[in-house]
Amino acid sequence: MLSNRQLLILQVIIDEFIQTAQPIGSRAISKKQEVTYSPATIRNEMADLEEMGYIEKTHSSSGRVPSEKGYRFYVDHLLLPFHLSSADKKIISNVFNEDLVEFEHVVQNSAKVLSDLTNYTSIILGPKVFETTLKQLQIIHLSSNTAVAILVTNTGHVEHRSFTIPAEIRASDLEKLINILNEKLSDVPIIQLQERLQKELASILDKYVSDVDTAIQYLKGALFEQQPANLYIGGITNIMLQPEFNDITKVHSLYSVMEKEDVIANVLRSYQDGIHVAIGQENKVHEMQECSLITATYSLAGEQVGTVALLGPKRMEYSRVISLLNLLSTQMTNTFHRWI
Amino acid sequence: MLSNRQLLILQVIIDEFIQTAQPIGSRAISKKQEVTYSPATIRNEMADLEEMGYIEKTHSSSGRVPSEKGYRFYVDHLLLPFHLSSADKKIISNVFNEDLVEFEHVVQNSAKVLSDLTNYTSIILGPKVFETTLKQLQIIHLSSNTAVAILVTNTGHVEHRSFTIPAEIRASDLEKLINILNEKLSDVPIIQLQERLQKELASILDKYVSDVDTAIQYLKGALFEQQPANLYIGGITNIMLQPEFNDITKVHSLYSVMEKEDVIANVLRSYQDGIHVAIGQENKVHEMQECSLITATYSLAGEQVGTVALLGPKRMEYSRVISLLNLLSTQMTNTFHRWI
DNA sequence: AATTAGCACTCGTTAGATAAGAGTGCTAAC
DNA sequence: GTTAGCACTCTTATCTAACGAGTGCTAATT
């Protein structure tokens, strides 16, 4: 469909625009080493490329700018394998060489490193606690009527909730309840906990514990209400360095949506296995339609548990970013695998 | 020093500027109900106020704008007691009527409510874990050589760290260690934990546990390294709504410093008991010198444990904000007191 | 037949000029 | 002591002209 010359010109336009954020003119293209044609020839090809929708003008006599279709084609067909510098590789692997190993910790550091390396904004969706299994459940009394419930998973993740113990539940009953639960529910996937609590265990517990319904109700309330989204955002200010975001209203609308952790978490969750690139309007969240979002998933025991993403202008360094995400998600998967 | 008329005019200028963000002219002041003088008279007084440094011109024939000295005088001498609307009061007290009581939870909600009510950015420094006491210490094994250490305080705060257990420590020793620690260290202030661990307990533990040094070393590493700052920021995008921040570079520099949690935490910690107002250059952090920061502290058992703050333009609604902070910090203190 | 040089044309950007308007300082009158 | 009046200053908005980067088209060249 596209001639080799058109491919070359499209590639040059996008590469150049990614660097400069300025419309590219025929003269500038002609001057590039790999291009051997005169500006006039290039103008003809550019007119064709524009007709096909791969590039656009900002006004009638301006140079050309990639369209979203252009970026899409570039990402799908023109991406050259990018060789990460050994410095970059080292910085990333350093994240995984720390001694105190913990999901949250690794994830947070990864977010920071990723945003520092790219000057984009990194978003990491932490492991879904639901897909891990229960290691231990504990209730620790703070005073006569308050306590904190702690849930530890096999991945070292800790969830906790404080709650007030209603007068009608006896402390000894709560103790018994927890003992039984630990015995019965150890290594059960978190996602099944609620169901198991209700269905299988109610009858058993009934024998030992009085007023089991209320107790379970409170336990559920304590443990499952308001699961936090587990989202880490790094380098959020980087977006303001991009020339396409020197308009405060654009930054404001983007930042407002970034504050809504549940919205962002849902966006990331909607991308499964592998690397995904959403360019501009391809993003469903309206406020992100001036941006590109690149996501990669990481896994634990073969099960995909989280997402690493980078948010930047449509004019992103796709090649480098994809390589970085690839490396990082692989390393995360490897590291977490070792822990089980 | 200042005549009543000058006080009145200064008050009107600042009140008006806080609302409009526009320089105030003599004509506008004269039109105010409470002012009975002609523009010419007011111009004379304004010239005097300017000479004394309370107000400034933006250019030679502009209206006047409060100087930082003016704001300082306003805050110190002209602040009228502000009557919060009952709606505001209700919104705040609702934060404390939730059932699931927990420091983090209350603090986070407070930050959100505060920024929503004011349209400024709220910053809350969570309770210093050091000033609370240990309730329980736990080690939960994840696998043969990894575990998570959990520390619960009397305030329902939970700290946790994952760590790898070195080969030279026996699991049974770790168990014994924890048992002894729980027995001996219950209700000890967290801040003293490290010291007590090292000095008083080493000898006792020595009898029961082999290679106690290594074990303690690892425990300390797991518990005390990298204490997170415990900082909650709400409504960070609100700053962009202020006309003085429609320059992207200003927003960027401010946001960059807001990302450095340790810097912000130190700033807040530097203000003790009561309400403090830092206006513009009075802020030590350079990036905040276009802003005003108002802080209030809250206490637990008579001990000040955290700080609530609002960051906005110098042109802040000081009166309302101070009332809100007062109410909120009092409520926090009361609520937390009840929990002990 | 493909490529390129040449040229008229378009449009955004910048600089300067002008006018309007808001506000001041000062003087003289009240 | 207060105020009306007026000349003056400075900002802002609008307009115009010149400039330049880049295009599209045509005709010449390879």
Side-chain angles (χ1 to χ4, degrees), chain B residues 18-281:
Chain B
I18 286 176
Q19 297 304 318
T20 64
Q22 297 296 324
I24 316 297
S26 55
R27 213 178 99 92
I29 299 174
S30 164
K31 272 189 181 164
K32 286 241 106 184
Q33 286 234 321
E34 62 266 41
V35 177
T36 57
Y37 311 97
S38 76
T41 310
I42 292 166
R43 280 204 287 280
N44 281 326
E45 297 289 23
M46 283 165 95
D48 289 348
L49 284 170
E50 182 172 9
E51 216 161 65
M52 291 184 277
Y54 293 108
I55 54 181
E56 300 170 338
K57 292 191 240 182
T58 60
H59 59 86
S60 76
S61 71
S62 76
R64 301 307 208 289
V65 157
S67 68
E68 293 192 4
K69 182 175 172 184
Y71 284 122
R72 172 48 62 197
F73 187 87
Y74 177 84
V75 167
D76 289 344
H77 303 109
L78 297 177
L79 232 44
L80 303 169
F82 187 92
H83 292 289
L84 293 174
S85 75
S86 55
D88 287 357
K89 284 184 193 163
K90 191 164 176 199
I91 291 172
I92 287 190
S93 63
N94 274 348
V95 176
F96 299 94
N97 289 341
E98 301 228 352
D99 188 39
L100 297 175
V101 287
E102 189 173 354
F103 257 137
E104 273 79 355
H105 205 227
V106 171
V107 165
Q108 220 158 354
N109 279 354
S110 301
K112 170 141 185 50
V113 163
L114 208 48
S115 62
D116 285 351
L117 284 180
T118 60
N119 267 307
Y120 302 129
T121 295
S122 64
I123 312 173
I124 302 196
L125 187 60
K128 278 186 272 185
V129 83
F130 303 110
E131 300 201 352
T132 56
T133 64
L134 178 68
K135 200 74 199 179
Q136 194 153 355
L137 207 59
Q138 296 246 318
I139 291 202
I140 292 169
H141 290 267
L142 301 173
S143 67
S144 58
N145 69 338
T146 58
V148 48
I150 299 180
L151 176 159
V152 183
T153 72
N154 61 333
T155 61
H157 178 84
V158 177
E159 289 279 323
H160 60 96
R161 298 278 178 284
S162 292
F163 63 102
T164 48
I165 307 169
E168 59 269 30
I169 294 183
R170 272 186 279 144
S172 61
D173 283 352
L174 209 55
E175 295 269 316
K176 274 191 233 163
L177 179 62
I178 291 296
N179 283 339
I180 297 172
L181 290 179
N182 265 319
E183 196 179 312
K184 297 286 179 188
L185 295 180
S186 218
D187 297 326
V188 166
I190 304 291
I191 196 168
Q192 295 176 16
L193 275 191
Q194 278 210 54
E195 207 186 338
R196 293 277 284 264
L197 259 176
Q198 201 113 43
K199 292 191 180 158
E200 297 177 33
L201 292 176
S203 56
I204 302 176
L205 293 172
D206 226 5
K207 296 177 194 161
Y208 301 92
V209 182
S210 67
D211 200 1
V212 70
D213 276 352
T214 323
I216 286 187
Q217 213 53 45
Y218 265 80
L219 207 62
K220 274 176 54 182
L223 288 175
F224 298 105
E225 264 175 29
Q226 292 179 301
Q227 285 285 4
N230 216 358
L231 201 67
Y232 301 88
I233 298 184
I236 187 146
T237 57
N238 287 349
I239 291 176
M240 289 188 266
L241 299 172
Q242 305 294 341
E244 34 272 89
F245 283 91
N246 56 12
D247 177 8
I248 201 91
T249 60
K250 281 185 194 163
V251 177
H252 183 253
S253 79
L254 184 58
Y255 275 42
S256 299
V257 75
M258 298 285 285
E259 270 194 316
K260 295 176 190 155
E261 298 211 334
D262 49 334
V263 173
I264 302 298
N266 276 332
V267 169
L268 295 204
R269 266 195 271 272
S270 70
Y271 297 103
Q272 298 296 315
D273 284 337
I275 293 215
H276 292 263
V277 179
I279 300 165
Q281 312 265 356

Side-chain angles (χ1 to χ4, degrees), chain B residues 297-313:
Chain B
T297 57
Y298 59 92
S299 310
L300 194 152
E303 191 94 40
Q304 169 204 318
V305 292
T307 307
V308 200
L310 272 170
L311 182 71

Side-chain angles (χ1 to χ4, degrees), chain B residues 103 299-302 331-340:
Chain B
F103 257 137
S299 310
L300 194 152
Q331 290 253 26
M332 286 174 88
T333 299
N334 287 346
T335 304
F336 297 157
H337 186 72
R338 251 188 290 129
W339 290 356
I340 305 201

Side-chain angles (χ1 to χ4, degrees), chain B residues 278-319:
Chain B
I279 300 165
Q281 312 265 356
E282 293 170 11
N283 285 296
K284 287 189 193 111
V285 176
H286 177 259
E287 289 86 347
M288 292 167 64
Q289 293 185 345
E290 286 284 305
C291 299
S292 280
L293 180 73
I294 308 189
T295 62
T297 57
Y298 59 92
S299 310
L300 194 152
E303 191 94 40
Q304 169 204 318
V305 292
T307 307
V308 200
L310 272 170
L311 182 71
K314 287 186 282 190
R315 182 184 63 79
M316 247 182 155
E317 291 185 85
Y318 291 100
S319 187

